Amino acid sequence: MIMSWRRVLKSAQALAAHSLLFCFTLLLLLKLDHLVSYSWWTIFFPLWMFHGVVARGRFSFPAPSVPHNRQWAPCHAIVAVPLLIAFELLLCIYLESVNVYGFPAVSLKVVFLPLLVFEIIILIDNFRMCRALMPGDDESISDEAIWETLPHFWVAISMVFFVAATVFTLLKLCGDVGALGWWDLFINFGIAECFAFLVCTKWSNPVIHRNSPAIEAGPSTATIRYLDWNSGLVVAPEEDQQQDTMCGLQDIGGHLMKIPIIGFQVLLCMYLEGTPPGARDIPLPVLFSPLFLLQGVGVLFAASILIERIVLLLRSGAGTGFYFRFSSRAHDCLGFLHHGSRY
Protein backbone atom coordinates (compact mmCIF):
# COMPACT_ATOMS: atom_id res chain seq x y z
CA MET A 1 0.00 0.00 0.00
CA ILE A 2 1.47 3.34 -1.06
CA MET A 3 2.14 5.78 1.74
CA SER A 4 0.46 9.19 1.28
CA TRP A 5 1.83 12.63 2.09
CA ARG A 6 -1.18 13.22 4.33
CA ARG A 7 -0.01 10.50 6.71
CA VAL A 8 3.52 11.91 6.62
CA LEU A 9 2.16 15.35 7.56
CA LYS A 10 0.15 13.82 10.40
CA SER A 11 3.34 12.24 11.72
CA ALA A 12 5.15 15.58 11.41
CA GLN A 13 2.31 17.21 13.35
CA ALA A 14 2.68 14.63 16.13
CA LEU A 15 6.44 15.18 16.27
CA ALA A 16 5.96 18.96 16.42
CA ALA A 17 3.44 18.60 19.26
CA HIS A 18 5.70 16.34 21.35
CA SER A 19 8.73 18.57 20.67
CA LEU A 20 6.91 21.76 21.68
CA LEU A 21 5.74 20.18 24.92
CA PHE A 22 9.31 19.03 25.61
CA CYS A 23 10.63 22.54 24.89
CA PHE A 24 8.12 24.08 27.30
CA THR A 25 9.19 21.74 30.10
CA LEU A 26 12.86 22.45 29.39
CA LEU A 27 12.34 26.25 29.38
CA LEU A 28 10.29 26.01 32.59
CA LEU A 29 13.12 24.11 34.29
CA LEU A 30 15.72 26.64 33.13
CA LYS A 31 13.54 29.53 34.32
CA LEU A 32 12.88 28.03 37.75
CA ASP A 33 16.57 27.17 38.12
CA HIS A 34 17.48 30.81 37.26
CA LEU A 35 19.62 29.70 34.32
CA VAL A 36 17.79 31.96 31.86
CA SER A 37 16.24 35.40 32.24
CA TYR A 38 13.50 35.04 29.64
CA SER A 39 10.10 36.50 30.40
CA TRP A 40 7.25 34.18 31.28
CA TRP A 41 5.66 35.01 27.92
CA THR A 42 8.65 33.41 26.21
CA ILE A 43 8.50 30.39 28.53
CA PHE A 44 4.82 29.76 27.78
CA PHE A 45 5.11 30.36 24.03
CA PRO A 46 5.92 26.68 23.13
CA LEU A 47 2.89 25.58 25.16
CA TRP A 48 0.58 27.87 23.19
CA MET A 49 2.17 26.65 19.96
CA PHE A 50 1.43 23.13 21.17
CA HIS A 51 -2.25 24.01 21.53
CA GLY A 52 -2.21 25.42 18.00
CA VAL A 53 -0.63 22.27 16.57
CA VAL A 54 -3.09 19.88 18.22
CA ALA A 55 -6.17 22.13 17.99
CA ARG A 56 -7.65 19.96 15.24
CA GLY A 57 -7.00 16.79 17.20
CA ARG A 58 -9.27 14.93 19.59
CA PHE A 59 -9.16 16.10 23.18
CA SER A 60 -8.69 13.05 25.35
CA PHE A 61 -8.80 13.55 29.07
CA PRO A 62 -9.83 10.68 29.41
CA ALA A 63 -12.20 10.05 26.51
CA PRO A 64 -14.61 7.11 26.56
CA SER A 65 -16.01 6.24 23.16
CA VAL A 66 -19.14 8.07 22.11
CA PRO A 67 -21.95 5.55 22.72
CA HIS A 68 -24.29 4.25 20.04
CA ASN A 69 -22.33 6.03 17.29
CA ARG A 70 -23.80 9.42 18.19
CA GLN A 71 -22.42 12.15 15.97
CA TRP A 72 -21.77 14.83 18.57
CA ALA A 73 -18.98 15.98 20.84
CA PRO A 74 -19.30 16.54 24.61
CA CYS A 75 -19.22 20.12 25.83
CA HIS A 76 -15.86 19.78 27.58
CA ALA A 77 -14.22 18.70 24.30
CA ILE A 78 -15.34 21.98 22.71
CA VAL A 79 -14.34 24.32 25.53
CA ALA A 80 -11.14 22.47 26.52
CA VAL A 81 -8.58 24.47 24.53
CA PRO A 82 -10.13 27.95 25.15
CA LEU A 83 -10.39 27.38 28.91
CA LEU A 84 -6.90 25.89 29.20
CA ILE A 85 -5.38 28.76 27.22
CA ALA A 86 -7.30 31.26 29.38
CA PHE A 87 -5.86 29.64 32.51
CA GLU A 88 -2.33 29.70 31.04
CA LEU A 89 -2.64 33.35 29.97
CA LEU A 90 -3.85 34.43 33.41
CA LEU A 91 -1.10 32.41 35.07
CA CYS A 92 1.48 34.00 32.79
CA ILE A 93 0.16 37.50 33.61
CA TYR A 94 0.32 36.68 37.33
CA LEU A 95 3.91 35.36 37.18
CA GLU A 96 5.21 38.12 34.90
CA SER A 97 3.70 40.91 37.01
CA VAL A 98 5.22 39.43 40.18
CA ASN A 99 8.57 39.08 38.42
CA VAL A 100 8.61 42.63 37.00
CA TYR A 101 6.60 44.76 39.43
CA GLY A 102 6.83 42.70 42.62
CA PHE A 103 3.06 42.33 43.04
CA PRO A 104 0.44 40.30 41.17
CA ALA A 105 -1.67 42.06 38.55
CA VAL A 106 -4.45 39.50 38.99
CA SER A 107 -5.64 37.42 41.92
CA LEU A 108 -4.83 33.71 42.02
CA LYS A 109 -8.54 33.03 42.49
CA VAL A 110 -9.18 34.61 39.11
CA VAL A 111 -6.28 32.68 37.59
CA PHE A 112 -7.71 29.32 38.65
CA LEU A 113 -11.28 30.17 37.62
CA PRO A 114 -11.05 28.83 33.99
CA LEU A 115 -9.46 25.60 35.24
CA LEU A 116 -12.20 25.05 37.80
CA VAL A 117 -14.90 25.80 35.22
CA PHE A 118 -13.30 23.28 32.86
CA GLU A 119 -13.21 20.55 35.52
CA ILE A 120 -16.81 21.22 36.55
CA ILE A 121 -17.94 21.00 32.91
CA ILE A 122 -16.23 17.60 32.57
CA LEU A 123 -17.95 16.50 35.79
CA ILE A 124 -21.41 17.59 34.60
CA ASP A 125 -20.88 16.12 31.13
CA ASN A 126 -20.05 12.68 32.45
CA PHE A 127 -22.84 12.62 35.02
CA ARG A 128 -25.25 13.53 32.20
CA MET A 129 -23.83 10.69 30.11
CA CYS A 130 -24.31 8.26 32.99
CA ARG A 131 -27.94 9.30 33.25
CA ALA A 132 -28.49 9.10 29.49
CA LEU A 133 -26.96 5.62 29.19
CA MET A 134 -28.90 4.07 32.05
CA PRO A 135 -32.08 2.23 30.97
CA GLY A 136 -35.52 3.57 31.75
CA ASP A 137 -37.75 2.51 34.61
CA ASP A 138 -39.39 -0.24 32.56
CA GLU A 139 -36.11 -1.61 31.17
CA SER A 140 -33.70 -4.06 32.73
CA ILE A 141 -30.03 -3.24 33.14
CA SER A 142 -27.84 -5.28 30.80
CA ASP A 143 -24.14 -6.01 31.14
CA GLU A 144 -23.48 -3.93 28.03
CA ALA A 145 -25.22 -0.90 29.55
CA ILE A 146 -23.16 -1.26 32.72
CA TRP A 147 -19.86 -1.52 30.81
CA GLU A 148 -20.81 1.47 28.68
CA THR A 149 -21.75 3.62 31.68
CA LEU A 150 -18.82 2.75 33.95
CA PRO A 151 -16.14 4.83 32.14
CA HIS A 152 -18.24 7.99 32.41
CA PHE A 153 -18.94 7.21 36.07
CA TRP A 154 -15.21 6.76 36.73
CA VAL A 155 -14.40 10.07 35.03
CA ALA A 156 -17.12 11.82 37.04
CA ILE A 157 -15.75 10.46 40.32
CA SER A 158 -12.25 11.40 39.19
CA MET A 159 -13.35 14.98 38.51
CA VAL A 160 -14.93 15.28 41.98
CA PHE A 161 -11.49 14.66 43.47
CA PHE A 162 -9.79 16.85 40.85
CA VAL A 163 -12.09 19.78 41.67
CA ALA A 164 -11.47 19.29 45.39
CA ALA A 165 -7.69 19.04 44.84
CA THR A 166 -7.66 22.17 42.65
CA VAL A 167 -9.64 24.16 45.24
CA PHE A 168 -7.36 22.98 48.05
CA THR A 169 -4.28 23.85 45.96
CA LEU A 170 -5.67 27.34 45.35
CA LEU A 171 -6.37 27.85 49.06
CA LYS A 172 -2.91 26.56 49.92
CA LEU A 173 -1.22 28.94 47.47
CA CYS A 174 -3.30 31.87 48.74
CA GLY A 175 -2.41 31.05 52.35
CA ASP A 176 -6.03 30.64 53.40
CA VAL A 177 -5.52 27.08 54.72
CA GLY A 178 -2.21 26.90 56.53
CA ALA A 179 -2.84 23.50 58.12
CA LEU A 180 -3.22 21.78 54.75
CA GLY A 181 -0.01 20.00 53.73
CA TRP A 182 1.27 19.19 50.25
CA TRP A 183 0.94 15.47 50.97
CA ASP A 184 -2.78 16.01 51.62
CA LEU A 185 -3.06 17.52 48.15
CA PHE A 186 -1.06 14.63 46.69
CA ILE A 187 -3.57 12.14 48.13
CA ASN A 188 -6.46 14.01 46.50
CA PHE A 189 -4.72 14.15 43.13
CA GLY A 190 -3.66 10.51 43.48
CA ILE A 191 -7.22 9.28 44.05
CA ALA A 192 -8.43 11.36 41.09
CA GLU A 193 -5.73 9.90 38.85
CA CYS A 194 -6.54 6.34 39.92
CA PHE A 195 -10.10 6.73 38.62
CA ALA A 196 -8.85 8.52 35.49
CA PHE A 197 -6.35 5.73 34.79
CA LEU A 198 -9.21 3.21 34.86
CA VAL A 199 -10.61 4.81 31.70
CA CYS A 200 -7.19 4.88 30.04
CA THR A 201 -6.74 1.10 30.15
CA LYS A 202 -7.96 -1.81 28.09
CA TRP A 203 -8.02 -4.50 30.73
CA SER A 204 -11.50 -5.95 30.32
CA ASN A 205 -14.03 -3.47 28.95
CA PRO A 206 -15.56 -5.16 25.88
CA VAL A 207 -17.82 -2.23 25.00
CA ILE A 208 -15.31 0.60 24.76
CA HIS A 209 -12.62 -1.56 23.21
CA ARG A 210 -14.62 -3.94 21.06
CA ASN A 211 -12.85 -4.85 17.86
CA SER A 212 -13.85 -2.55 15.03
CA PRO A 213 -14.92 -4.11 11.74
CA ALA A 214 -12.34 -4.54 9.04
CA ILE A 215 -11.46 -1.36 7.21
CA GLU A 216 -11.79 -1.46 3.48
CA ALA A 217 -8.78 -0.28 1.56
CA GLY A 218 -9.26 2.98 -0.27
CA PRO A 219 -7.45 6.17 -1.22
CA SER A 220 -7.32 7.40 2.38
CA THR A 221 -7.61 4.18 4.39
CA ALA A 222 -5.63 1.01 4.31
CA THR A 223 -5.30 -2.32 6.06
CA ILE A 224 -1.95 -2.10 7.82
CA ARG A 225 0.01 -4.90 9.48
CA TYR A 226 3.50 -6.09 10.35
CA LEU A 227 5.38 -8.77 8.49
CA ASP A 228 7.49 -11.24 10.44
CA TRP A 229 10.83 -10.32 11.99
CA ASN A 230 12.88 -11.65 9.05
CA SER A 231 11.13 -9.80 6.24
CA GLY A 232 10.74 -6.59 8.25
CA LEU A 233 8.12 -3.88 8.20
CA VAL A 234 5.89 -3.18 5.23
CA VAL A 235 3.82 -0.33 6.59
CA ALA A 236 3.53 1.23 10.04
CA PRO A 237 0.36 0.38 11.95
CA GLU A 238 -2.19 3.10 12.63
CA GLU A 239 -1.91 4.24 16.22
CA ASP A 240 -5.64 4.46 16.66
CA GLN A 241 -6.40 1.00 15.32
CA GLN A 242 -8.39 -1.09 17.79
CA GLN A 243 -6.59 -3.97 19.48
CA ASP A 244 -7.76 -7.02 21.38
CA THR A 245 -10.18 -6.55 24.25
CA MET A 246 -7.66 -7.75 26.82
CA CYS A 247 -4.56 -5.84 27.82
CA GLY A 248 -1.64 -6.55 25.52
CA LEU A 249 2.09 -5.95 25.70
CA GLN A 250 1.94 -2.33 24.54
CA ASP A 251 -0.86 -1.58 27.00
CA ILE A 252 1.43 -2.77 29.81
CA GLY A 253 3.98 -0.28 28.48
CA GLY A 254 1.34 2.43 28.74
CA HIS A 255 0.83 1.54 32.39
CA LEU A 256 4.58 1.66 33.03
CA MET A 257 4.71 5.17 31.57
CA LYS A 258 2.30 6.32 34.28
CA ILE A 259 5.07 5.67 36.81
CA PRO A 260 7.06 8.81 35.81
CA ILE A 261 3.93 10.94 36.35
CA ILE A 262 3.49 9.56 39.87
CA GLY A 263 7.23 9.79 40.48
CA PHE A 264 7.29 13.47 39.53
CA GLN A 265 4.38 14.22 41.87
CA VAL A 266 6.06 12.40 44.76
CA LEU A 267 9.34 14.27 44.22
CA LEU A 268 7.46 17.58 43.94
CA CYS A 269 5.60 16.98 47.21
CA MET A 270 8.85 16.03 48.94
CA TYR A 271 10.49 19.21 47.61
CA LEU A 272 7.62 21.53 48.60
CA GLU A 273 6.91 19.91 51.98
CA GLY A 274 10.58 19.49 52.94
CA THR A 275 10.09 15.91 54.12
CA PRO A 276 12.21 13.91 54.57
CA PRO A 277 14.89 16.36 55.79
CA GLY A 278 17.05 17.48 52.91
CA ALA A 279 14.30 17.07 50.31
CA ARG A 280 14.44 20.81 49.55
CA ASP A 281 18.00 20.26 48.35
CA ILE A 282 16.85 18.03 45.48
CA PRO A 283 18.23 19.58 42.26
CA LEU A 284 15.51 20.79 39.92
CA PRO A 285 16.86 18.70 36.99
CA VAL A 286 16.39 15.59 39.15
CA LEU A 287 12.91 16.79 40.10
CA PHE A 288 11.93 17.21 36.44
CA SER A 289 13.67 14.05 35.19
CA PRO A 290 10.49 11.88 35.21
CA LEU A 291 8.75 14.41 32.94
CA PHE A 292 11.73 14.51 30.58
CA LEU A 293 11.68 10.71 30.43
CA LEU A 294 7.99 10.64 29.59
CA GLN A 295 8.12 13.42 27.02
CA GLY A 296 11.41 12.20 25.57
CA VAL A 297 9.87 8.82 24.78
CA GLY A 298 7.01 10.63 23.06
CA VAL A 299 9.44 12.66 20.92
CA LEU A 300 11.45 9.56 19.96
CA PHE A 301 8.32 7.60 19.12
CA ALA A 302 6.91 10.41 16.96
CA ALA A 303 10.28 10.90 15.23
CA SER A 304 10.57 7.17 14.47
CA ILE A 305 7.10 7.15 12.94
CA LEU A 306 7.88 10.21 10.79
CA ILE A 307 11.19 8.80 9.51
CA GLU A 308 9.57 5.45 8.85
CA ARG A 309 6.75 6.94 6.81
CA ILE A 310 9.09 9.17 4.81
CA VAL A 311 11.19 6.13 3.89
CA LEU A 312 8.07 4.17 2.98
CA LEU A 313 6.83 7.05 0.83
CA LEU A 314 10.14 7.31 -1.02
CA ARG A 315 10.16 3.53 -1.54
CA SER A 316 6.56 3.46 -2.78
CA GLY A 317 5.17 1.99 0.41
CA ALA A 318 7.05 -1.29 0.66
CA GLY A 319 10.51 -2.54 1.39
CA THR A 320 12.68 -5.05 3.14
CA GLY A 321 16.18 -5.19 4.48
CA PHE A 322 18.14 -3.98 7.47
CA TYR A 323 16.32 -0.64 7.94
CA PHE A 324 12.88 -2.23 8.02
CA ARG A 325 13.95 -4.96 10.45
CA PHE A 326 15.50 -2.32 12.71
CA SER A 327 12.46 -0.04 12.32
CA SER A 328 10.09 -2.86 13.21
CA ARG A 329 11.95 -3.61 16.44
CA ALA A 330 12.32 0.07 17.35
CA HIS A 331 8.63 0.72 16.68
CA ASP A 332 7.61 -2.15 18.94
CA CYS A 333 9.94 -0.98 21.71
CA LEU A 334 8.87 2.67 21.60
CA GLY A 335 5.24 1.70 21.12
CA PHE A 336 5.49 -0.45 24.25
CA LEU A 337 6.65 2.58 26.23
CA HIS A 338 4.49 5.22 24.57
CA HIS A 339 1.14 3.42 24.27
CA GLY A 340 -1.39 5.01 26.61
CA SER A 341 0.96 7.71 27.90
CA ARG A 342 -0.85 10.48 25.99
CA TYR A 343 -3.66 10.18 28.51
Side-chain angles (χ1 to χ4, degrees):
M1 184 60 61
I2 297 177
M3 180 69 61
S4 67
W5 279 109
R6 175 176 295 182
R7 294 174 58 157
V8 173
L9 291 176
K10 285 182 62 178
S11 300
Q13 181 186 22
L15 177 59
H18 283 288
S19 300
L20 288 168
L21 206 56
F22 186 88
C23 288
F24 167 72
T25 306
L26 179 61
L27 289 174
L28 180 62
L29 169 62
L30 296 176
K31 178 70 173 179
L32 294 176
D33 216 8
H34 305 289
L35 297 177
V36 296
S37 57
Y38 302 142
S39 68
W40 283 103
W41 297 104
T42 304
I43 302 300
F44 275 82
F45 182 74
L47 184 60
W48 295 324
M49 291 293 292
F50 165 80
H51 287 305
V53 170
V54 302
R56 295 177 60 85
R58 175 179 65 89
F59 176 74
S60 56
F61 172 83
S65 300
V66 177
H68 307 309
N69 296 321
R70 296 175 183 173
Q71 300 299 318
W72 51 268
C75 179
H76 69 264
I78 300 173
V79 302
V81 173
L83 287 177
L84 288 175
I85 291 179
F87 167 70
E88 293 157 7
L89 285 171
L90 289 171
L91 181 60
C92 189
I93 293 172
Y94 176 88
L95 294 172
E96 186 65 16
S97 61
V98 171
N99 185 46
V100 175
Y101 304 110
F103 59 90
V106 61
S107 170
L108 269 179
K109 294 181 174 65
V110 178
V111 172
F112 274 76
L113 185 59
L115 185 60
L116 284 170
V117 170
F118 178 45
E119 293 174 348
I120 292 173
I121 290 176
I122 298 177
L123 173 65
I124 296 173
D125 262 357
N126 283 277
F127 270 131
R128 289 178 61 248
M129 284 304 305
C130 288
R131 182 66 185 91
L133 291 172
M134 293 301 292
D137 297 335
D138 299 331
E139 302 175 5
S140 59
I141 301 178
S142 63
D143 291 340
E144 183 175 352
I146 294 175
W147 278 116
E148 202 167 25
T149 306
L150 271 178
H152 297 281
F153 178 74
W154 286 332
V155 175
I157 297 301
S158 172
M159 295 317 301
V160 170
F161 285 97
F162 267 122
V163 170
T166 303
V167 171
F168 290 150
T169 301
L170 173 60
L171 296 176
K172 175 73 174 177
L173 294 174
C174 291
D176 296 336
V177 184
L180 192 64
W182 290 107
W183 288 110
D184 301 323
L185 298 177
F186 172 76
I187 293 174
N188 276 276
F189 280 112
I191 296 174
E193 289 164 359
C194 285
F195 283 101
F197 287 162
L198 288 174
V199 185
C200 306
T201 64
K202 291 175 49 180
W203 289 107
S204 58
N205 192 328
V207 174
I208 299 179
H209 306 104
R210 62 162 64 95
N211 289 332
S212 58
I215 302 174
E216 297 181 359
S220 59
T221 61
T223 302
I224 303 162
R225 56 173 61 89
Y226 279 102
L227 292 182
D228 56 45
W229 292 116
N230 294 324
S231 58
L233 180 67
V234 172
V235 247
E238 280 295 332
E239 190 176 357
D240 294 332
Q241 187 175 354
Q242 295 288 347
Q243 304 294 331
D244 296 333
T245 56
M246 298 304 289
C247 185
L249 181 63
Q250 288 194 346
D251 298 286
I252 297 175
H255 292 295
L256 292 179
M257 292 309 290
K258 295 180 178 72
I259 296 176
I261 299 176
I262 300 173
F264 169 73
Q265 293 172 338
V266 171
L267 289 174
L268 183 61
C269 282
M270 291 170 55
Y271 181 85
L272 295 174
E273 192 72 22
T275 54
R280 293 188 184 273
D281 297 327
I282 298 177
L284 287 181
V286 175
L287 181 63
F288 276 76
S289 58
L291 290 184
F292 285 122
L293 172 64
L294 187 68
Q295 296 175 358
V297 169
V299 172
L300 291 176
F301 183 79
S304 70
I305 292 294
L306 177 60
I307 295 173
E308 180 179 283
R309 290 185 173 178
I310 291 176
V311 172
L312 290 171
L313 183 64
L314 296 178
R315 296 196 177 197
S316 300
T320 57
F322 172 77
Y323 169 77
F324 292 96
R325 288 194 295 271
F326 174 79
S327 175
S328 182
R329 288 169 172 80
H331 188 281
D332 256 15
C333 177
L334 291 173
F336 168 78
L337 295 174
H338 176 265
H339 191 75
S341 64
R342 60 184 174 180
Y343 296 100

